[in-house]
Amino acid sequence: MSEFNQKDFDEFVAENGVYGFFEEAITLKSGRQSHFYANWRNVVEDAWLTEKLIGFVLEFIEDKSISVDTFYGVPEGATKLGILTQYTWAKKSSGFARGSHTLAMGRAKPKDHGAPKDKYFVGKPQGKTLVLEDATTTGGALINTLDFLIEAGVDVIGVISLTNRMEKRNDGMSVEEVFVQKGIPFYGMSSALDVLPIVYEKLKPGIEIAKSIESEYEEYGVAKIRLL
């Protein structure tokens, strides 16, 4: 397997419609207003691009020496990525055989009947579990998923976010700091601070949008950003 190359991954992000800009601010899942989004839908709806993305994820965990038994995607944004990454990973394993790997999937809303493991999962994660998220702002959905998995007895050994927007939460903490407190390693595969300038130069959405995004990072960013 080839080594993870950060520049190649950032260019993959920039070239495949993950980032977009808006003249009028939109409301993010976190509840914040923003003039840009990071959404991986364009990638995970395309089989060829998804295969490329999985390759980057597997290179990344090799680079970080992360030992994994199960990949688990946060419902519902990273569900497909979690399942397909797990399938690819399992097939590459020297011990791949009947019963060697599970295909884990969480339900966005639990069933109101059935065994506990079936209420919350379509295949409960087994062994050392690495959680995948597509984009992270304040980490609300990711943290809720993590807390639930731990409560369910899942051995969560880390979290990977494909896109870290690099923003502080309302309590002033970064997402990374929250996970440090929880004792769970957090890995951002790409940073908005690095990718936004690339995409801005590529799409040239205008000076006013650039100024608005710079103001967003003045208020919420873990660091300032300059697009002009």
Side-chain angles (χ1 to χ4, degrees):
M1 183 177 293
S2 58
E3 294 183 358
F4 178 76
N5 185 296
Q6 188 66 61
K7 181 179 178 181
D8 287 349
F9 184 65
D10 289 349
E11 290 177 352
F12 176 82
V13 175
E15 291 172 359
N16 288 294
V18 174
Y19 281 63
F21 299 101
F22 296 90
E23 290 185 9
E24 294 187 11
I26 61 169
T27 302
L28 304 175
K29 187 166 57 176
S30 64
R32 289 183 178 171
Q33 298 283 304
S34 180
H35 289 265
F36 84 97
Y37 71 84
N39 189 318
W40 284 84
R41 186 177 298 114
N42 287 342
V43 173
V44 297
E45 289 181 354
D46 182 287
W48 188 87
L49 288 175
T50 299
E51 182 178 42
K52 294 292 184 184
L53 174 57
I54 290 169
F56 279 117
V57 172
L58 296 184
E59 289 171 359
F60 186 82
I61 69 163
E62 289 283 349
D63 183 67
K64 300 297 182 183
S65 299
I66 305 172
S67 177
V68 185
D69 294 314
T70 303
F71 289 90
Y72 180 85
V74 173
E76 294 174 339
T79 295
K80 285 195 291 186
L81 177 63
I83 292 172
L84 291 170
T85 302
Q86 174 68 357
Y87 179 68
T88 304
W89 175 250
K91 287 184 66 178
K92 291 178 179 291
S93 171
S94 60
F96 184 49
R98 181 176 180 177
S100 63
H101 297 77
T102 188
L103 290 176
M105 183 175 79
R107 299 182 187 274
K109 294 183 179 179
K111 293 171 63 178
D112 58 6
H113 62 279
K117 68 182 182 65
D118 296 326
K119 285 185 179 182
Y120 303 106
F121 300 103
V122 183
K124 183 179 177 180
Q126 302 295 324
K128 294 176 289 188
T129 299
L130 186 64
V131 178
L132 300 179
E133 176 66 300
D134 51 1
T136 306
T137 305
T138 59
L142 180 56
I143 292 167
N144 289 340
T145 295
L146 177 67
D147 289 343
F148 166 73
L149 288 171
I150 293 173
E151 184 179 346
V154 176
D155 180 17
V156 179
I157 52 89
V159 173
I160 289 179
S161 175
L162 302 180
T163 297
N164 185 355
R165 288 179 60 107
M166 302 298 289
E167 296 183 19
K168 294 179 181 178
R169 294 152 40 97
N170 293 338
D171 60 10
M173 297 178 66
S174 69
V175 174
E176 292 95 328
E177 289 171 334
V178 173
F179 280 95
V180 167
Q181 286 190 349
K182 290 180 174 291
I184 302 293
F186 175 91
Y187 306 93
M189 280 188 65
S190 65
S191 162
L193 295 174
D194 296 326
V195 179
L196 266 173
I198 300 172
V199 182
Y200 180 82
E201 182 62 27
K202 176 181 175 63
L203 299 181
K204 295 180 170 55
I207 293 175
E208 292 306 314
I209 288 178
K211 290 180 178 179
S212 296
I213 293 172
E214 289 178 356
S215 295
E216 290 175 32
Y217 276 85
E218 289 276 356
E219 183 174 4
Y220 296 118
V222 300
K224 296 179 181 179
I225 191 169
R226 289 290 176 260
L227 300 176
L228 298 174

